[in-house]
């Protein structure tokens, strides 16, 4: 079992430099790469680059490799299916892998009512399907979503996204009829209130202001919400938030759509993050961790809502049999032990980060659930001035020491390792993170 990263070359090394140069010529410049990592192979939480350097991965390929890189049982399930059937298209034909996975997801989703499942290839496609189904079912044109939300980049999903302006620049006009409202970001309350004295004013505002002045609630199809905001900064709402919001929108028959693309499939320490908030959403969008890295998106909806007619929505590759088999095996591993491990190691990671927070003034907020943990960096704990440049420098310093991290929000770092992570790997991550902050701290005074 590996214990430490191993960095043998300057970063990027000679091979990595060669590939990055080629990438600069041939690959779309729209991607955002925080550091020059060129991956050759990976196992568990350990990533090997093309120069033989070894990194400890606390990104899981953006919260995707739920069972760790190349989990042997997932790889076996993929190989078995690949030998039998690679593709047939669930849009026009039946095959067992898709039907069996649909049954599994429908039974797993919270609530006793019957559910049905639509399959796509990505998170954006799962959200896109929810967006279209909400219109189809309600015949309403308006929708609500949240500032800071990331729902994907296809035109419909992008219209719901409100994360960074660069994601929308030059793409207007987007789909009309969407109103973004403030997310319950208690560390920086948009209403300048304090929890719990606020009485969850962000929900009251919807009824007292929005529905009274500009948005007739009976014209709203759905509210799209991440149970825990992901790209926006790993922001955990107060415990009552979703329940209160759900109760409010149900008064007007508005659908509650949980985008669990990032928070779902065990990452939060429960199969679906909405379970922490005791809400049974009308629809759940899933992707990322669902198939341990194989492309798959799924929309689980109450059967009475998923009432669209044949031909109204589909995708050639959606619910590919190999991805479906990888998902079945992933779910089995999650249920057997990994969700519990996410809860346990998540608590351990959070406790370790809270300990580090005592000695690092720049760690303004440590928050999360399970293995969806964020640290918000500030220049000063009192003023909470965001430390954007420090955030990026700390991530780069960690990379140079062999730890892979990702940013989220404007000034936060996310820790979203595979759900197989061990206590020893958490310890290693904490120690490198501590070193990375120390390495950057010397420069703080200059900013
Ligand atoms: N929804 C959420 C909550 C996400 O975090 C993401 C991706 O980060 C998406 C949707 C879009 O997923 P994809 O990149 O697979 O289209």
């Amino acid at each position: 079992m590996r214990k430490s990263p191993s960095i043998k070359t300057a970063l990027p090394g000679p091979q990595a430099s060669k590939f990055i140069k080629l990438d600069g010529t041939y690959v779309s410049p729209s991607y955002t790469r925080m550091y020059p990592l060129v991956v050759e192979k990976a196992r568990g939480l350990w990533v090997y680059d093309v120069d033989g350097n070894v990194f400890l991965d606390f990104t899981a390929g953006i919260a995707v490799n739920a069972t760790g890189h190349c989990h042997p049982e997932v790889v076996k399930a993929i190989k078995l299916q690949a030998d039998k059937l690679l593709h047939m298209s669930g849009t026009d034909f039946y095959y067992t892998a898709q039907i069996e996975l649909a049954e599994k997801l429908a039974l797993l989703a919270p609530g006793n009512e019957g559910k049905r499942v639509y399959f796509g290839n990505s998170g954006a496609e799962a959200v896109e399907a929810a967006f279209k189904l909400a219109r189809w079912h309600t015949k309403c044109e308006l929708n609500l979503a949240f500032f800071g939300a990331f729902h994907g980049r296809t035109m419909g999903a992008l219209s719901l996204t409100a994360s960074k302006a660069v994601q929308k620049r030059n793409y207007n006009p987007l789909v009309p009829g969407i109103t973004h409202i403030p997310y319950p970001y208690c560390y920086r309350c948009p209403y300048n209130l304090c929890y719990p004295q606020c009485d969850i004013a962000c929900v009251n505002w919807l009824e007292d202001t929005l529905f009274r002045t500009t948005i007739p609630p009976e014209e709203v199809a759905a509210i799209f919400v991440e149970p825990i905001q992901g790209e926006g900064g790993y922001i955990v709402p107060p415990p009552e938030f979703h329940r209160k919001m759900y109760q409010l929108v149900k008064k007007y028959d508005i659908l509650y759509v949980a985008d669990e693309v990032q928070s779902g499939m065990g990452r939060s320490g429960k199969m679906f993050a909405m379970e922490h908030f005791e809400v049974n959403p009308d629809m759940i969008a899933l992707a990322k961790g669902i198939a341990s890295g194989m492309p798959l998106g799924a929309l689980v909806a109450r059967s009475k809502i998923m009432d669209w007619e044949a031909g109204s929505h589909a995708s050639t590759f959606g619910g590919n049999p190999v991805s479906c088999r990888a998902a079945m095996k992933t779910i089995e591993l999650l249920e057997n032990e990994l969700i519990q491990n996410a809860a346990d190691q998540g608590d351990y990671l959070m406790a370790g980060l809270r300990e580090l927070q005592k000695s690092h003034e720049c760690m303004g907020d440590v928050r999360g659930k399970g293995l969806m943990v964020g640290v918000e960096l500030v220049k000063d704990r009192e003023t909470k001035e965001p430390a954007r440049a420090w955030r990026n420098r700390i991530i780069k310093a960690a990379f140079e020491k062999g730890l892979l991290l990702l940013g989220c929000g404007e000034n936060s770092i996310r820790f979203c390792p595979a759900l197989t992570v061990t206590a020893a790997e958490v310890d290693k991550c904490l120690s490198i993170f501590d070193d990375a902050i120390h390495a950057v701290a010397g420069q703080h005074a200059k900013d």
Side-chain angles (χ1 to χ4, degrees), residues 183-436:
Y183 197 77
Y185 182 8
C186 298
Y187 184 64
R188 297 180 190 276
C189 175
Y191 301 91
N192 255 328
L193 298 171
C194 272
Y195 177 79
Q197 293 83 353
C198 64
D199 193 28
I200 321 290
C202 41
V203 175
N204 303 338
W205 177 84
L206 203 66
E207 191 156 45
D208 299 346
T209 304
L210 200 69
F211 288 168
R212 206 168 49 76
T213 58
T214 52
I215 307 285
E218 68 282 0
E219 290 181 23
V220 178
I223 182 166
F224 290 78
V225 63
E226 291 165 86
I228 299 169
Q229 208 168 64
E231 307 293 309
Y234 274 27
I235 300 166
V236 185
E240 318 79 324
F241 172 76
H242 286 293
R243 213 163 41 240
K244 201 166 166 183
M245 185 62 96
Y246 182 84
Q247 281 161 2
L248 167 61
V249 301
K250 280 299 139 194
K251 282 206 275 182
Y252 304 102
D253 284 334
I254 296 170
L255 300 174
Y256 212 75
V257 181
D259 180 345
E260 295 246 18
V261 166
Q262 188 149 178
S263 62
M265 306 318 291
R267 175 152 297 283
S268 74
K270 293 193 186 283
M271 184 63 87
F272 304 102
M274 266 308 177
E275 292 173 57
H276 290 285
F277 302 95
E278 293 163 4
V279 163
N280 300 337
D282 297 300
M283 300 190 214
I284 304 176
L286 296 167
K288 286 198 183 281
I290 192 170
S292 291
M294 294 297 288
L296 185 68
L299 176 69
V300 187
R302 295 187 204 276
S303 305
K304 69 170 197 259
I305 292 169
M306 195 170 275
D307 58 357
W308 43 17
E309 63 189 336
S312 57
H313 195 52
S315 152
T316 300
F317 289 121
N320 167 275
V322 183
S323 295
C324 287
R325 286 290 169 219
M328 293 289 280
K329 184 50 78 178
T330 300
I331 292 169
E332 187 187 317
L333 293 165
L334 294 178
E335 287 186 308
N336 285 352
E337 55 172 325
L338 296 184
I339 297 180
Q340 189 55 50
N341 193 55
D344 296 343
Q345 297 306 331
D347 286 349
Y348 185 59
L349 171 63
M350 190 101 90
L353 287 169
R354 293 232 156 99
E355 199 50 43
L356 289 184
Q357 192 182 21
K358 290 182 189 158
S359 50
H360 293 298
E361 169 83 12
C362 67
M363 292 173 67
D365 195 24
V366 175
R367 56 192 177 229
K369 281 211 185 287
L371 289 172
M372 196 171 176
V373 177
V375 173
E376 178 156 350
L377 296 164
V378 293
K379 292 192 174 177
D380 177 309
R381 290 246 182 110
E382 281 301 306
T383 64
K384 299 185 182 173
E385 187 190 344
R388 296 185 188 95
W390 299 355
R391 187 272 302 267
N392 295 351
R393 277 189 222 153
I394 290 169
I395 291 177
K396 282 193 184 117
F399 166 67
E400 277 153 20
K401 293 170 189 302
L403 172 66
L404 304 181
L405 294 171
L406 279 172
C408 58
E410 286 198 7
N411 55 313
S412 297
I413 295 180
R414 63 180 125 176
F415 296 75
C416 52
L419 278 52
T420 52
V421 68
T422 62
E425 287 163 339
V426 171
D427 287 340
K428 185 48 78 181
C429 162
L430 289 168
S431 127
I432 300 177
F433 184 58
D434 188 24
D435 287 351

